[in-house]
């Protein structure tokens, strides 16, 4: 039993770590991060395939193939799979993002062998039954409808679509109702066959497992995988928005709004990634950063106020997120835009730089305090073709950030003029105020139940 | 892995070293008990002369420490008209003290790499700092400082009330499940303080004065109403010395006597229908449930795993997979000191009615009353609970949270691992008995949520 209750602030944190690494003769990359602390083992298989690989009109296909893998093999139906996982004291999740699909399992150590055998079996021999696909499509459509009850998720999803208009990063990972309808079993099989090749996969293990145990496990369950190359997709650089544009996701009876303001963020291998990270931390990355101080501590307008620097192969999003009451929305948005102006024009101060660096360096121990976190950092290195010791350079890289570099990175990357602003609110109550925000060129309204 | 009392504890020499030259009685430290924590670790409990309870678990697995302060005060200690005060106060604790300016507490700790936060519920409030292990002196000093020397000013109270009002909009007013849950507790409890939400009614939040907050602080924030929990890579003697130094000067307070009002037995089903801007119909049910300390709580938890635990559970299979009438179905038992609710939440799929889903649910619940669950189902549920339990122990913060919670709600941190043993002992017969005792329709409350797309002021009705 753990404590829940209600807290003073929303959580947020990032990750990093170190261990054993090898590649099988098929080309499968294997990473290990052992720890004897608890009798638990984490196993994951990550595909270097994400929603950016969804063909036009079939948005949601990559997530769908991940979900379909879980629906069983010719010998095991989906219910039997779920029953077996639970009986072993395990759990299995499938996570799809723009850049990867990850099958992530955790199991009590005594049941590691049968659990690994099941994971391997699911991945190697998915049944992809027509009846299962029909079920998963109905389930996905129901999930899309249910997600409309979550205002924050509505704001986040619509912000990305608005910012990355027409770009693969703007597609909802889960898909659209019409694209889900269009997906056929053949599409799922093809997507799987193209991407389930050893060099496209990363096998990760952490927790109560030794190197010798992992070698045996790989030999028994993850050898003789299909070889070959997965199709490479060259994701074009997303275009920066031109001008300030507002999207209102119109939902009835909102006493509170969800406000996302942002522009393009960073690439994982940007040379000024760390200067940008430090500057963002000073601006809106901690509880005492500028944004939280002005919005929450001084004015009490929003329970949370953070800025986030997204990173991917191409530039992801940089966002400010607050959730003011409807009556405070315009004032809060104005304040944030003023603060952004100041952030870009004046940059951060030497004192803020010192504070942000101290925070990032000193709190790094929580990025690596469990074997699972250390492994995740190494998987990210492999996924994004970064040096294997990239995560070990974190502290040095942060310490090395100079004030000029941090402020130059902000000037270069963050635009004051070209912004996407997305609000979940009752449009009738806020539209006029949003149109009056400085520099706004257009205000578009969509219904919240448009997916 | 099991909890066992044992006598060894720290050496006498350690205690006498700690108390050497400590004159005030309230700063003198007494060893109370040592309890096994899993296979290799152990927790020690100490008391300071002023009544401060201290739990120490040395765990060198990572160079971090979790420092938690658990107070035996929650929303159950409030009264009508002043609901939400415990939670508002939790926010105010991050403000000014006699030695630190407003915002300094967070700034100093963040610069040290700490993650700080707090939570409030019905029976408790707790504050935590997860920080690098070399920062233990800093956190001990700051926590002791705000426990005794908080400064409350009108401006900060007004600002924090706004923040809490926003939090309430976020969690309740504009959240379908939050709104339904609040109604469920108000429907199910007529006397007990569990009937009002921990975040408080909006009118009460808006009405708090600085004097209310000062009175609350004087009444509940005292060393003899608190437990410190320290878990991580620390030197026990050094940590205890710091606690003596920083908390030893604090005086105990006169605490209130028993606060509980027994809830009269519910004798007929209560039903409420509300209209909210929701995507589909929803259903929230609350059966009166056992208190957290009872064995029946563990039995009901195992039954809940069989019914709602994961994709292979009976109700997920039936409602989500087979009949496809729900997009999600989940349930949990309130971990409260006094009997709370067994809460069930079902979100229906478009074009399916919550009343029809309730009929299906009733048939399934009758099935566990009429016939015993299988041994396979029992084994699966117990394995899932073991996995969840162990996963909660991965970090120093997770361990500290379990210890603080058990110490505060049950008065005994040593019972953490006993709960895992209790799950293992549960039999099919136990489950049937508990189902018969608790899953009684006349002792439940039901909230139906109907979607409404339009202005507020829709109808609602209770029976």
């Amino acid at each position: 039993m753990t404590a829940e209750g209600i807290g003073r602030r929303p959580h947020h944190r990032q990750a990093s770590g170190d261990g054993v690494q090898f590649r099988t003769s098929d080309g499968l990359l294997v990473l290990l991060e052992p720890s004897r602390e608890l009798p638990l083992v984490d196993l994951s298989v990550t595909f270097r395939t994400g929603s950016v690989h969804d063909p036009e009109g079939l948005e949601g296909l990559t997530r769908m193939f991940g979900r379909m893998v879980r629906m069983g093999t010719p010998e095991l139906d989906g219910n039997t799979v779920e029953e077996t996982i639970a009986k072993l004291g395990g759990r299995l999740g499938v996570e799809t993002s723009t850049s990867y699909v990850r099958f992530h399992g955790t199991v009590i150590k005594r049941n590691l062998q049968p659990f690994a055998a099941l994971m391997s079996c699911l991945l190697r021999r998915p049944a992809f039954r027509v009846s299962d696909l029909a079920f998963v499509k109905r389930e996905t459509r129901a999930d899309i409808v249910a997600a409309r009850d979550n205002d924050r998720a509505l704001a986040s999803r619509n912000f990305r679509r608005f910012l990355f208009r027409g770009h693969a990063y703007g597609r909802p990972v889960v898909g659209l109702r019409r694209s889900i309808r269009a997906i056929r079993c053949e599409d799922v099989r093809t997507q799987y066959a193209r991407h389930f090749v050893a060099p496209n996969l990363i096998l990760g293990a952490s927790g109560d497992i030794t190197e010798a145990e992992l070698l045996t496990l790989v030999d028994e369950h993850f050898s003789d995988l299909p070889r070959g190359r997965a199709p490479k997709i060259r994701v074009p650089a997303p275009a920066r928005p031109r001008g300030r544009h507002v999207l209102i996701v119109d939902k009835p009876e909102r006493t509170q709004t969800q406000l996302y303001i942002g522009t393009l963020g960073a690439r994982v291998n940007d040379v000024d990634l760390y200067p940008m990270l430090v500057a963002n931390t000073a601006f809106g990355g901690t509880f005492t950063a500028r944004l939280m101080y002005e919005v929450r501590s001084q004015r009490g307008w929003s329970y949370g106020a953070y800025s986030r620097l997204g990173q991917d192969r191409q530039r992801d999003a940089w966002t400010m997120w607050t959730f003011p009451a409807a009556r405070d929305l315009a004032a809060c948005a104005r304040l944030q835009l003023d603060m952004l102006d100041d952030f870009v024009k004046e940059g951060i101060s030497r004192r803020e730089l010192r504070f942000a660096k101290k925070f990032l360096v000193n709190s790094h121990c929580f990025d690596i305090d469990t074997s699972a976190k250390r492994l995740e950092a190494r998987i990210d290195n492999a996924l994004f073709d970064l040096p294997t010791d990239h995560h070990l350079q974190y502290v040095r890289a942060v310490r090395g950030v100079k004030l000029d570099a941090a402020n130059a990175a902000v000037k270069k990357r963050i635009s004051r003029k070209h912004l996407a602003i997305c609000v979940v609110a009752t449009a009738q109550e806020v539209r006029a105020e949003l149109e009056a925000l400085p520099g706004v060129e257009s205000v578009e309204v969509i219904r919240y139940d448009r997916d | 892995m099991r909890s066992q009392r044992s006598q060894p504890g720290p050496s006498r020499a350690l205690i006498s070293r700690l108390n050497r030259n400590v004159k005030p009685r309230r700063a003198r430290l007494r060893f109370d008990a040592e309890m096994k924590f899993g296979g290799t670790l152990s927790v020690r409990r100490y008391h300071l002369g002023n009544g401060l309870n201290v739990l120490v678990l040395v765990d060198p697995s990572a160079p971090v420490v979790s420092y938690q302060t658990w107070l035996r005060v929650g929303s159950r200690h409030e009264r009508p008209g002043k609901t939400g005060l415990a939670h508002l106060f939790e926010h105010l604790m991050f403000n000014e003290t006699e030695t630190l300016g407003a915002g300094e507490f967070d700034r100093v700790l963040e610069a040290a790499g700490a993650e700080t936060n707090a939570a409030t519920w019905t029976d408790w409030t707790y504050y935590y700092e997860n920080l690098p292990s070399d920062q233990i002196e800093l956190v001990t000093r700051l926590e002791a400082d705000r426990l005794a020397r908080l400064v409350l000013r009108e401006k900060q109270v007004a600002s924090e009330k706004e923040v809490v009002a926003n939090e309430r909009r976020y969690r309740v007013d504009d959240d379908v499940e939050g709104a339904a849950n609040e109604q469920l507790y108000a429907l199910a409890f007529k006397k007990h303080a569990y009937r009002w939400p921990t975040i408080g009614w909006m009118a009460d939040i808006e009405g708090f004065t600085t004097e209310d907050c000062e009175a609350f602080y004087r009444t509940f924030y005292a060393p003899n109403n608190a437990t410190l929990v320290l878990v991580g890579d620390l030197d026990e003697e050094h940590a205890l010395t710091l606690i003596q130094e920083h908390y030893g000067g604090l005086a105990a307070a006169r605490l209130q006597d028993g606060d509980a009002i027994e809830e009269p037995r519910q004798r007929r089903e209560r039903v409420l229908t509300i209209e909210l801007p929701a995507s589909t119909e929803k259903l929230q049910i609350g059966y009166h449930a056992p208190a957290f300390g009872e064995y029946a709580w563990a039995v009901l938890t195992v039954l809940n795993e069989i019914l709602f635990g994961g994709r292979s559970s009976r109700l997920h299979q039936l409602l989500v997979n087979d009949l496809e009438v729900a997009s999600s179905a989940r349930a949990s038992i309130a971990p409260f000191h006094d009997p709370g609710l067994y809460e069930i939440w079902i979100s229906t799929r478009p074009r399916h009615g919550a009343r029809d889903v309730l009929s299906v649910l009733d048939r399934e619940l009758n099935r566990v009353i009429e016939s015993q669950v299988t041994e396979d189902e029992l084994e699966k549920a117990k394995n899932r609970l073991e996995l969840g339990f162990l996963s909660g122990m991965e970090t120093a913060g997770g361990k500290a949270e379990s210890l603080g919670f058990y110490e505060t709600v049950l008065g005994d941190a040593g019972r953490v691992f006993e709960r895992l043993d209790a799950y293992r002992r549960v039999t099919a017969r136990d489950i049937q008995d508990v189902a018969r005792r608790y899953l009684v329709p006349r002792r439940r409350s039901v909230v139906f949520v109907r979607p409404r797309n339009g202005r507020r002021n829709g109808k609602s009705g209770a029976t």
Side-chain angles (χ1 to χ4, degrees):
Chain A
M1 185 60 235
T2 56
E4 287 174 16
I6 52 175
R8 187 176 68 117
R9 63 179 75 157
H11 288 261
H12 90 144
R13 177 158 288 288
Q14 299 166 336
S16 185
D18 80 318
V20 175
Q21 168 169 337
F22 61 91
R23 203 176 273 280
T24 66
S25 54
D26 305 326
L28 172 73
L29 179 66
V30 182
L31 303 173
L32 169 67
E33 206 48 65
S35 161
R36 302 295 304 275
E37 294 305 317
L38 289 167
L40 291 178
V41 181
D42 279 1
L43 270 187
S44 68
V45 175
T46 305
F47 286 62
R48 299 169 206 260
T49 303
S51 64
V52 294
H53 293 84
D54 287 347
E56 192 87 32
L58 295 180
E59 291 83 1
L61 176 61
T62 303
R63 178 186 176 272
M64 186 74 74
F65 108 71
R67 175 73 183 97
M68 284 290 287
V69 163
R70 198 183 170 130
M71 294 301 288
T73 66
E75 295 79 26
L76 293 173
D77 64 20
N79 290 346
T80 312
V81 169
E82 300 303 338
E83 192 69 25
T84 310
I85 292 169
K87 226 176 259 179
L88 293 173
R91 60 171 166 252
L92 179 68
V94 188
E95 179 197 354
T96 307
S97 80
T98 50
S99 296
Y100 63 83
V101 179
R102 183 171 295 161
F103 294 80
H104 180 210
T106 306
V107 69
I108 298 171
K109 169 69 185 259
R110 62 178 180 268
N111 293 328
L112 173 61
Q113 280 303 327
F115 187 79
L118 177 67
M119 261 181 95
S120 158
C121 200
L122 290 172
L123 284 161
R124 284 166 180 273
R125 308 187 54 245
F128 293 145
R129 298 176 191 90
V130 173
S131 57
D132 285 343
L133 179 66
F135 169 79
V136 171
K137 286 164 78 166
R138 291 193 299 274
E139 177 190 71
T140 306
R141 285 200 297 267
D143 288 346
I144 291 172
V145 172
R148 293 176 191 153
D149 289 331
N150 183 335
D151 289 4
R152 185 180 171 187
L154 269 179
S156 164
R157 192 168 66 239
N158 281 290
F159 170 77
R160 286 190 74 84
R161 286 173 75 178
F162 192 54
L163 174 67
F164 295 111
R165 275 169 201 252
H167 188 272
Y169 285 1
R171 294 174 190 161
V173 171
V174 69
L176 304 162
R177 274 188 302 174
R178 63 171 184 280
S179 65
I180 299 296
R181 207 171 294 127
I183 294 170
R184 299 161 308 152
C185 229
E186 194 50 39
D187 300 320
V188 176
R189 288 194 190 104
T190 307
Q191 189 78 342
Y192 163 79
R194 282 184 181 158
H195 295 273
F196 186 64
V197 288
N200 194 41
L201 307 175
I202 304 162
L203 174 68
S206 65
D208 193 2
I209 177 170
T210 63
E211 188 174 351
E213 286 169 326
L214 179 62
L215 285 169
T216 309
L217 187 143
V218 169
D219 201 38
E220 286 176 4
H221 304 299
F222 293 95
S223 56
D224 296 327
L225 294 174
R227 299 182 182 209
R229 280 195 181 165
K232 279 257 179 199
I233 290 222
R234 187 173 289 277
V235 180
R240 199 163 73 171
R242 306 295 304 170
R244 285 183 177 177
H245 300 275
V246 176
L247 174 72
I248 303 174
V249 181
D250 184 21
K251 193 172 178 183
E253 300 180 41
R254 296 303 85 195
T255 64
Q256 187 182 50
T257 63
Q258 293 281 332
L259 171 61
Y260 277 70
I261 300 176
T263 184
L264 297 186
R267 291 183 307 173
V268 286
N269 52 3
D270 277 341
V271 288
D272 57 357
L273 178 68
Y274 287 97
M276 191 59 220
L277 178 69
V278 170
N280 177 66
T281 302
F283 179 74
T286 75
F287 195 76
T288 59
R290 273 190 206 184
L291 193 58
M292 186 71 88
Y293 178 75
E294 294 294 339
V295 172
R296 175 174 157 150
S297 307
Q298 287 299 295
R299 294 168 178 83
W301 280 343
S302 175
Y303 175 53
Y306 287 106
S307 64
R308 178 179 178 274
L309 179 67
Q311 307 160 32
D312 208 314
R313 288 200 177 91
Q314 291 291 356
R315 291 181 69 186
D316 201 272
W318 177 83
T319 43
M320 284 189 274
W321 168 55
T322 55
F323 35 112
R327 64 164 188 265
D328 297 325
L329 170 67
C332 189
R334 265 175 205 280
L335 171 71
Q336 287 180 241
L337 291 171
D338 285 348
M339 290 181 69
L340 182 64
D341 271 355
D342 190 58
F343 180 44
V344 177
K345 272 196 272 185
E346 307 296 329
I348 60 171
S349 67
R350 194 165 296 284
R351 184 167 171 262
E352 286 176 314
L353 178 92
R354 210 166 36 237
F355 173 83
K357 285 166 66 170
K358 268 173 113 173
F359 169 76
L360 290 170
V361 168
N362 289 333
S363 64
H364 183 59
C365 55
F366 292 102
D367 298 334
I368 52 173
D369 62 335
T370 67
S371 58
K373 290 184 192 173
R374 293 190 289 273
L375 177 68
E376 199 179 317
R378 294 173 55 209
I379 290 174
D380 283 352
N381 292 346
L383 198 56
F384 294 110
D385 305 315
L386 298 168
T388 52
D389 66 345
H390 177 76
H391 60 297
L392 301 176
Q393 307 307 319
Y394 178 88
V395 168
R396 189 184 54 77
V398 169
R399 280 200 176 121
V401 172
K402 302 275 188 271
L403 185 63
D404 289 353
N407 289 336
V410 173
K411 266 204 172 65
K412 184 177 162 195
R413 306 239 160 245
I414 308 293
S415 167
R416 298 183 292 137
K417 291 182 182 161
H418 307 295
L419 294 170
I421 301 171
C422 176
V423 185
V424 173
T426 305
Q428 195 189 340
E429 291 169 11
V430 301
R431 180 172 188 153
E433 288 178 325
L434 294 175
E435 280 171 344
L437 287 176
V440 164
E441 293 178 14
S442 72
V443 175
E444 186 185 336
V445 180
I446 59 165
R447 282 175 57 95
Y448 79 103
D449 51 3
R450 185 204 83 162
D451 62 41
Chain B
M1 288 177 139
R2 54 179 56 243
S3 138
Q4 286 167 351
R5 300 305 136 112
S6 57
Q7 287 309 311
S11 66
R12 278 167 186 272
L14 168 65
I15 296 295
S16 54
R17 268 202 311 277
L18 286 165
N19 286 330
R20 188 180 303 153
N21 302 325
V22 174
K23 286 280 183 297
R25 273 177 75 102
R26 59 189 179 204
R28 291 182 72 82
L29 203 69
R30 181 169 62 81
F31 167 71
D32 177 65
E34 177 162 342
M35 301 155 270
K36 282 277 179 205
F37 190 86
T40 54
L41 304 174
S42 62
V43 190
R44 287 175 179 171
R45 184 193 288 121
Y46 299 88
H47 300 295
L48 213 56
N50 58 13
L52 180 71
N53 195 25
V54 182
L55 298 173
V56 181
L57 170 60
V58 178
D59 173 11
S61 59
V64 299
V65 166
S66 184
Y67 189 105
Q68 302 193 353
T69 308
W70 284 75
L71 288 142
R72 287 177 285 277
V73 59
S75 53
R76 64 179 294 154
H77 301 94
E78 298 159 354
R79 56 189 168 81
K82 298 290 177 193
T83 66
L85 187 50
H87 172 252
L88 172 69
F89 201 82
E90 171 217 308
H91 282 236
L92 291 168
M93 279 289 279
F94 291 83
N95 274 294
E96 196 176 334
T97 71
E98 290 168 17
T99 58
L100 284 176
E104 277 299 299
F105 180 89
D106 280 318
R107 266 195 290 278
V108 172
L109 281 166
E110 278 189 347
E115 182 204 4
T116 70
N117 210 338
T120 308
W121 211 356
T122 52
D123 304 313
W124 45 258
T125 303
Y126 90 108
Y127 301 84
Y128 73 79
E129 290 83 21
N130 296 325
L131 69 173
S133 50
D134 59 358
Q135 297 294 336
I136 187 124
E137 194 277 333
L138 173 72
V139 70
T140 310
R141 176 166 55 83
L142 295 187
E143 279 295 8
D145 183 44
R146 68 174 173 170
L147 185 63
R149 288 179 282 276
L150 191 72
V151 174
L152 293 161
R153 296 190 196 280
E154 300 276 348
K155 183 176 177 259
Q156 287 156 356
V157 172
S159 169
E160 217 54 56
K161 279 164 59 178
E162 268 302 308
V163 171
V164 171
N166 272 311
E167 186 181 350
R168 192 191 143 85
R169 289 184 192 101
Y170 177 61
R171 293 186 190 278
V172 182
D173 298 347
D174 281 10
D175 183 86
V176 176
E177 189 171 349
N181 190 260
E182 185 172 277
Q183 293 297 323
L184 180 75
Y185 272 81
L187 194 64
F189 288 95
K190 296 299 170 196
K191 296 277 184 209
H192 197 286
Y194 292 164
R195 72 185 184 277
W196 58 75
T198 297
I199 199 159
W201 302 114
M202 189 63 106
D204 292 353
I205 296 168
E206 288 166 350
F208 288 129
T209 63
T210 306
E211 291 71 40
D212 290 331
C213 300
E214 281 166 349
F216 188 86
Y217 185 52
R218 282 195 303 274
T219 310
F220 296 107
Y221 279 66
N224 51 329
N225 202 33
T227 296
L228 297 186
V229 188
L230 284 73
V231 174
D233 187 14
L234 51 88
D235 176 318
E236 187 169 9
E237 182 169 351
H238 177 57
L240 291 169
T241 307
L242 290 169
I243 287 167
Q244 284 180 297
E245 181 186 335
H246 294 286
Y247 290 86
L250 311 188
R254 185 187 292 261
L255 300 175
Q256 283 184 342
D257 287 338
D259 54 276
I261 296 174
E262 200 172 329
E263 180 65 21
R265 193 174 177 79
Q266 185 174 335
R267 301 202 179 275
R268 75 187 177 96
E269 185 181 52
R270 296 169 190 158
V271 179
L272 175 72
T273 302
I274 54 176
E275 291 187 353
L276 294 171
S279 60
T280 60
E281 291 195 17
K282 321 283 178 196
L283 174 63
Q284 177 134 55
I285 304 165
Y287 288 91
H288 283 279
F292 183 70
E294 295 178 49
Y295 174 65
W297 197 96
V299 178
L300 195 53
T301 299
V302 176
L303 171 58
N304 182 51
E305 275 303 315
I306 292 169
L307 294 175
F308 290 96
R311 289 172 182 267
S312 71
S313 64
R314 286 189 185 187
L315 268 305
H316 185 95
Q317 286 280 350
L318 184 66
L319 299 176
V320 180
N321 292 0
D322 298 346
L323 301 176
E324 298 186 33
V325 293
S327 54
S328 65
R330 58 177 193 273
S332 62
I333 305 125
F336 294 169
H337 181 273
D338 294 341
L341 292 182
Y342 176 37
E343 299 170 34
I344 298 171
W345 171 257
I346 296 170
S347 177
T348 67
R349 289 201 187 186
R351 292 181 292 282
H352 290 281
R355 285 179 194 275
D356 296 338
V357 172
L358 180 59
S359 306
V360 178
L361 176 71
D362 280 342
R363 280 199 295 278
E364 270 311 294
L365 297 184
N366 271 332
R367 199 150 75 87
V368 289
I369 289 169
E370 283 162 10
S371 50
Q372 292 186 359
V373 301
T374 66
E375 284 306 313
D376 259 13
E377 286 180 304
L378 259 184
E379 183 202 340
K380 188 177 78 175
K382 291 176 184 182
N383 280 342
R384 275 180 57 86
L385 287 165
E386 183 180 350
L387 175 70
F389 181 88
L390 293 173
S391 298
M393 300 291 172
E394 281 187 295
T395 61
K399 293 180 185 99
E401 194 175 291
S402 290
L403 289 169
F405 176 80
Y406 274 77
E407 185 78 359
T408 306
V409 175
L410 300 184
D412 187 359
R415 291 177 68 182
V416 172
F417 278 85
E418 284 175 14
R419 186 49 55 105
L420 191 53
D421 290 340
Y423 294 148
R424 287 177 180 144
R425 283 203 309 276
V426 171
T427 64
R429 180 62 191 271
D430 291 340
I431 286 183
Q432 194 172 27
D433 289 347
V434 160
R436 282 177 176 159
R437 198 166 141 208
Y438 289 98
L439 302 184
V440 182
R442 69 173 183 281
R443 297 203 64 226
R444 76 181 178 191
S445 302
V446 183
V447 177
F448 290 105
V449 178
R450 258 193 232 143
R452 171 164 50 96
N453 288 313
R455 307 295 311 166
R456 248 181 201 155
N457 308 320
K459 287 179 207 150
S460 73
T463 58

